[in-house]
Amino acid sequence: MPQSGLPDVSIPRRLSAPTPGWTTTADVIVVGSGIAGLTTALRLRRRVDRVLLVTKTVLDEGSTAWAQGGIAAVMSPEDSPAEHIHDTLVAGVGLCDVDAVHALVTEGTDAVWDLIALGADFDRGDTGKISLTREGGHHRDRILHAGGDATGREISRALIAALDRVRDDPGIEVIEHALVVDLLTDADERVCGVTLHVIGEGQVDGVGAAHARAVVLATGGLGQIYASTTNPSVATGDGMAAALRAGAVLADLEFVQFHPTVLWLGEGSRGQQPLISEAVRGEGAFLVDEAGERFMQGQHPLADLAPRDVVARAIITRMRETGTDHVYLDCRHLGAEFLEHRFPSIVSRCRELGFDPATQLLPVAPAQHYASGGVRTDLRGRSSLEGLYACGETSCTGVHGANRLASNSLLEGLVFGRRIADDLTARLGAGELPEAAPAAATGEPELVGSTRRLDIQRAMTAGAGTVRSATSLAATEQALGAIAERAAKEDADQQGGPQSWETTNLLHLGRALAYAAALREETRGGHVREDFPSRDDEHFLHHVHLRRSGAGVLAAEVVPVPRSNLEGLDLDGSMPVDVLDEDRADVEGADSEGAVGASPAVRHTNLVNGTEEKA
Ligand SMILES: Cc1cc2nc3c(=O)[nH]c(=O)nc-3n(C[C@H](O)[C@H](O)[C@H](O)COP(=O)(O)OP(=O)(O)OC[C@H]3O[C@@H](n4cnc5c(N)ncnc54)[C@H](O)[C@@H]3O)c2cc1C
């Protein structure tokens, strides 16, 4: 077993919770109503008899509805799957699963057309053709967007409208305000349901048990583990934590993406922070420091549109050099009219907060944005536990590797939701995954009071945030271990409730994340080690898999990645010559200094049904 230098980390099998007072049954339980959960549930509904969709609060609460920039897909004849695959692999810094990326990209176009057929209304140019834009790390215009910068809201609206159209169908039951606490397993450790807390009425109220032949976790990310994040309050990593406690393998947890341009609201601001989408830089905005100097040129051929980890690291370096806690985004040259039209939500949010992007520099700093790791799955979405699937940000399908390419996550939920539905349809139809009775709960449960949430977030931010080291990670684990120890004495007799279950999930995942980060003594993608500032392909071209061992402690396994993963990738940022040549034409039209930041007219491509023209 690899050495983390950290002490053993105990993870309990379950959270303290009242004994279930009611039971329900389904063929498949889908947990979560973001793009991943809704896509899976809608596709399954037509094929299996009983789908139960549960979600923690209301249907449109989750990261999906907050997505701004868009969804990436090869939609233009000027683009190709090979180029989208290449850009994704470069962003993943050698750790992507090439087959998963292939599936994402080659199935992504049809999946997006299906979403359009379902009712999602993406922005179109004057000729009625769908507009495509570009974001960091992409070498082609391939980002579809809606409502300017409200892509997620439109996708969420379209999926929920599709669900509403079938809500009376007896084949699907939807329960809102239903928080899944833990996974139920049978005597052979096959997942056969969940325990959940419902704020409901009548029979289904309080803690109950839902039994099923399979469970799909689509509970989104873990952003609330940090003091500041772009993620909404529901992003407490519940699905990942429940899977970890049940014994499933989690992978790549150390790779957390910190978005480079999150509006900086002052030192004390906590929780969800306003994101300034990468698409703003895609349209030509650029970063400057305190002195007004641009600092991304020369760092990477894509300059301000370099992959997110490159930009975030450059910002952190510049902040350190200048002794500040933020830099600035300059959008002023784009003009009020264009900004208001293209980014209505961002502009109005900034103005609400006292910043006018059309006339002022916007203070920005990196904040947690995306969990590249999660519940390890295969290409069909199956986890290491029989009967358990994971989809979307909760999962680690391998498409993101060490860092996610912008706008690939909505696409992942869409593509792998379909794959999971197809796999489950086939398996249930073939009589696989028979109903099973849950085994009695074993081991001591754990619960941490919700008052410790801020302490957990502070410890994670200080030691396991944007820049880490062996010392900082050890300090984080020490703080988290002390919280667990204190809770065992002080909170042991509590039964729990939504806030404390979430807080305990943050603790369990935080400890696992710090453990994985301590094992990776190099800097790669979203994982930045101050004490190991370079990438080390010789020793760390591998995934870290974590799971709860039979003895109840975290066990790590190192899973090597074939060296062929690096072939054909220039990870230092240059791009294939054919792409570079065309990009140069765009770039030169926009910016005499050669930074990518073309004018809106040059950057946008409009298309419909595969025919494409420049706007
Ligand atoms: C501000 C912001 C901007 C972004 N912009 C983009 C973008 O432009 N393009 C892009 O591709 N990606 C973007 N992302 C990332 C992307 O939005 C997410 O990765 C993606 O939407 C995740 O979808 P999901 O279905 O996996 O999870 P979510 O949409 O987060 O949904 C998770 C669901 O699970 C539910 N849930 C959670 N815990 C429980 C529980 N215990 N019990 C029951 N239900 C539970 C939640 O309530 C929610 O319904 C952005 C993210 C943020 C926060």
Side-chain angles (χ1 to χ4, degrees):
M1 180 167 145
Q3 298 302 310
S4 70
L6 300 183
D8 279 353
V9 174
S10 296
I11 300 289
R13 169 62 186 87
R14 62 197 167 97
L15 300 179
S16 304
T19 307
W22 52 271
T23 306
T24 187
T25 307
D27 288 313
V28 181
I29 300 167
V30 178
V31 189
S33 54
I35 193 168
L38 287 172
T39 302
T40 310
L42 283 168
R43 195 167 170 98
L44 266 178
R45 182 203 63 89
R46 288 182 267 137
R47 295 136 173 244
V48 304
D49 291 339
R50 294 165 305 166
V51 177
L52 172 62
L53 175 71
V54 298
T55 192
K56 186 150 75 172
T57 59
V58 290
L59 285 171
D60 66 353
E61 185 69 55
S63 290
T64 297
W66 287 94
Q68 295 178 340
I71 183 165
V74 176
M75 304 291 284
S76 152
E78 276 192 4
D79 196 0
S80 68
E83 287 164 274
H84 190 183
I85 289 170
H86 179 270
D87 289 345
T88 303
L89 296 177
V90 169
V93 205
L95 291 192
C96 295
D97 178 325
V98 178
D99 292 336
V101 175
H102 191 264
L104 176 85
V105 169
T106 56
E107 294 169 25
T109 308
D110 279 352
V112 168
W113 281 119
D114 280 357
L115 189 61
I116 293 167
L118 193 81
D121 189 10
F122 291 105
D123 292 339
R124 293 168 187 266
D126 294 341
T127 58
K129 297 178 177 180
I130 290 175
S131 301
L132 298 175
T133 190
R134 196 176 299 200
E135 291 186 313
H138 291 273
H139 291 95
R140 292 286 184 198
D141 292 348
R142 61 169 77 102
I143 316 294
L144 299 91
H145 47 88
D149 55 3
T151 310
R153 186 137 305 279
E154 171 56 15
I155 290 176
S156 179
R157 184 208 59 76
L159 288 167
I160 292 171
L163 183 68
D164 283 341
R165 292 197 286 273
V166 299
R167 217 141 160 194
D168 293 336
D169 181 336
I172 187 158
E173 186 184 356
V174 179
I175 310 181
E176 292 178 274
H177 301 287
L179 181 152
V180 164
V181 180
D182 265 314
L183 293 167
L184 294 168
T185 44
D186 71 3
D188 297 322
E189 296 192 351
R190 293 181 307 178
V191 171
C192 58
V194 298
T195 55
L196 71 174
H197 175 266
V198 178
I199 303 171
E201 51 191 34
Q203 295 290 303
V204 179
D205 191 19
V207 172
H211 297 169
R213 295 167 68 182
V215 173
V216 182
L217 292 173
T219 52
L222 49 66
Q224 295 292 329
I225 216 167
Y226 291 100
S228 78
T229 173
T230 62
N231 292 189
S233 60
V234 290
T236 47
D238 300 358
M240 291 184 210
L244 180 67
R245 287 190 294 272
V249 169
L250 270 60
D252 295 348
L253 275 186
E254 68 274 33
F255 295 114
V256 177
Q257 184 174 88
F258 291 84
H259 197 290
T261 52
V262 177
L263 196 63
W264 187 83
L265 296 176
E267 211 186 331
S269 51
R270 299 262 177 270
Q272 189 178 17
Q273 308 290 309
L275 173 70
I276 310 295
S277 166
E278 199 141 34
V280 180
R281 276 174 287 133
E283 299 292 6
F286 51 82
L287 290 158
V288 294
D289 65 12
E290 278 265 290
E293 237 177 72
R294 293 184 68 166
F295 55 87
M296 283 311 301
Q297 287 143 323
Q299 305 262 355
H300 190 280
L302 288 173
D304 291 85
L305 275 179
R308 286 183 182 166
D309 57 304
V310 176
V311 182
R313 238 176 288 168
I315 292 176
I316 289 162
T317 307
R318 188 49 63 112
M319 286 182 341
R320 285 186 171 178
E321 284 166 0
T322 53
T324 52
D325 38 22
H326 58 278
V327 294
Y328 295 94
L329 188 67
D330 193 346
C331 324
R332 295 172 298 180
H333 56 291
L334 297 178
E337 196 186 336
F338 174 74
L339 285 167
E340 284 162 14
H341 172 73
R342 176 69 180 87
F343 302 110
S345 314
I346 295 174
V347 171
S348 75
R349 186 78 185 116
C350 286
R351 286 181 178 157
E352 263 169 43
L353 293 162
F355 304 98
D356 184 356
T359 57
Q360 289 171 287
L361 294 173
L362 298 179
V364 292
Q368 193 283 345
H369 185 55
Y370 185 79
S372 298
V375 180
R376 180 69 191 151
T377 70
D378 66 11
L379 292 179
R380 299 159 298 191
R382 299 183 192 182
S383 77
S384 61
L385 295 180
E386 184 76 339
L388 182 67
Y389 288 71
C391 192
E393 195 165 340
T394 298
S395 68
C396 179
T397 58
V399 300
H400 307 303
N403 206 358
R404 172 189 69 128
L405 183 66
S407 287
N408 265 356
S409 41
L410 290 171
L411 190 66
E412 184 190 33
L414 204 56
V415 167
F416 284 85
R418 290 153 58 105
R419 286 187 149 243
I420 289 171
D422 292 350
D423 190 55
L424 276 169
T425 305
R427 289 178 91 187
L428 298 192
E432 287 181 46
L433 301 172
E435 280 176 24
T442 54
E444 280 304 306
E446 193 166 85
L447 191 73
V448 175
S450 57
T451 52
R452 327 246 184 236
R453 188 181 286 218
L454 192 54
D455 295 336
I456 295 168
Q457 292 169 330
R458 281 199 184 118
M460 288 300 295
T461 304
T466 44
V467 181
R468 305 140 181 200
S469 68
T471 315
S472 77
L473 290 164
T476 295
E477 168 46 28
Q478 199 182 10
L480 298 183
I483 290 170
E485 234 173 75
R486 233 179 22 244
K489 291 183 200 129
E490 295 166 20
D491 302 337
D493 54 347
Q494 290 185 24
Q495 292 274 286
Q499 293 281 330
S500 50
W501 290 320
E502 285 180 347
T503 304
T504 318
N505 287 332
L506 295 178
L507 177 77
H508 292 163
L509 272 185
R511 297 186 81 181
L513 196 158
Y515 197 85
L519 284 168
R520 186 170 289 283
E521 296 180 329
E522 64 157 355
T523 288
R524 182 187 298 266
H527 173 69
V528 179
R529 286 284 298 251
E530 201 167 29
D531 45 353
F532 297 98
S534 309
R535 193 176 84 235
D536 179 354
D537 291 329
E538 196 181 329
H539 300 102
F540 292 97
L541 197 61
H542 61 228
H543 300 285
V544 173
H545 283 192
L546 290 182
R547 64 179 189 84
R548 177 181 180 272
S549 72
V553 291
L554 274 185
E557 189 191 355
V558 154
V559 179
V561 168
R563 277 201 88 78
S564 58
N565 253 26
L566 294 172
E567 275 166 22
L569 301 183
D570 182 348
L571 297 177
D572 299 319
S574 48
M575 53 197 100
V577 172
D578 53 338
V579 179
L580 187 64
D581 285 348
E582 278 196 32
D583 256 31
R584 281 270 172 245
D586 280 0
V587 170
E588 281 163 16
D591 183 330
S592 60
E593 292 172 320
V596 176
S599 71
V602 178
R603 296 232 65 77
H604 262 85
T605 305
N606 290 336
L607 90 162
V608 68
N609 292 334
T611 52
E612 175 269 350
E613 64 181 27
K614 286 283 181 196

